[in-house]
Amino acid sequence: MGTVLGAMRNVRWHELQHAYGSASQVPGMLSRIAWGDGPTAEDALRDLDQWIGAPAVFDATVAAVPFLWELAATETVKDRAGVLDLLATILAAGHAQHPEWTRAAHEAVTAGRPTAARLAAGASSVHPQAVREAAARLLAAMDGHVCAACLPRTD
C-alpha cells in the first residue's frame, strides 16, 4: 500500500460494522477504488454505497469518510465523481437507532468542504468536468443539510 490510503491500516476495521456485518472488507473496497480500472472502481463504489451509505450509515461509514475524501482528491483515481457522489449519499443518510453515527458521518463529510470547494473550482485539465460538477452538487448538499442528528445540541 502506497501513501494513498496508507493510514487505513491504523483502523480496526474488524471491530466496525457495515450494513451486512463486519467492516473487515472495507479496506479492500477502498483499495479497489484507489487502484482499480474504471469498471473495478465502479463496482467497488457500488458495493461500498450499499455497505456504508444507503439507506443507513454505520460506524464503518465514519471511519471510511476520511479515506473517501483522500480518494476524491487523488488525481489517479478513476471515478472521483463517483466518490464525491458517495459522500453526498452519506450526507443524506442516517441511522435511526444510532444518531451518534449519523452525526459523526455527517461531520466527517462536511469536514471535507475545503477539498470539495477546491475540486469544484479546479482547472479542467486537473479536475474533469464530472468531478467539478459532483463537487458542486456536494457543496450544495452541505449548504442545505439539515437533519435531526445534526441539529445543535441543547444539553
Side-chain angles (χ1 to χ4, degrees), residues 77-137:
V77 170
K78 301 289 188 260
D79 193 2
R80 293 187 299 147
V83 172
L84 291 163
D85 288 340
L86 176 54
L87 287 163
T89 296
I90 291 168
L91 186 63
H95 197 296
Q97 287 76 37
H98 293 281
E100 71 279 8
W101 292 349
T102 302
R103 184 182 189 100
H106 293 178
E107 287 174 348
V109 171
T110 58
R113 183 180 191 77
T115 300
R118 184 174 46 80
L119 293 173
S124 61
S125 63
V126 177
H127 305 299
Q129 183 162 343
V131 172
R132 291 192 322 268
E133 290 173 355
R137 285 191 304 272

Side-chain angles (χ1 to χ4, degrees), residues 1-2 5-13 27 67:
M1 208 175 305
L5 303 180
M8 209 166 43
R9 67 181 163 270
N10 299 328
V11 177
R12 300 180 74 148
W13 295 100
F67 300 109

Side-chain angles (χ1 to χ4, degrees), residues 4-143:
V4 174
L5 303 180
M8 209 166 43
R9 67 181 163 270
N10 299 328
V11 177
R12 300 180 74 148
W13 295 100
H14 65 282
E15 294 177 4
L16 303 175
Q17 296 294 305
H18 63 57
Y20 302 103
S22 169
S24 60
Q25 311 94 336
V26 170
M29 289 295 120
L30 291 167
S31 293
R32 286 174 56 201
I33 295 166
W35 294 289
D37 60 16
T40 299
E42 288 174 18
D43 287 346
L45 269 170
R46 194 170 21 262
D47 288 345
L48 206 54
D49 179 65
Q50 293 173 358
W51 291 357
I52 68 167
V57 296
F58 298 85
D59 55 354
T61 310
V62 178
V65 167
F67 300 109
L68 292 171
W69 276 117
E70 186 177 352
L71 293 173
T74 302
E75 293 177 23
T76 56
V77 170
K78 301 289 188 260
D79 193 2
R80 293 187 299 147
V83 172
L84 291 163
D85 288 340
L86 176 54
L87 287 163
T89 296
I90 291 168
L91 186 63
H95 197 296
Q97 287 76 37
H98 293 281
E100 71 279 8
W101 292 349
T102 302
R103 184 182 189 100
H106 293 178
E107 287 174 348
V109 171
T110 58
R113 183 180 191 77
T115 300
R118 184 174 46 80
L119 293 173
S124 61
S125 63
V126 177
H127 305 299
Q129 183 162 343
V131 172
R132 291 192 322 268
E133 290 173 355
R137 285 191 304 272
L138 180 53
L139 285 170
M142 288 178 188
D143 290 344

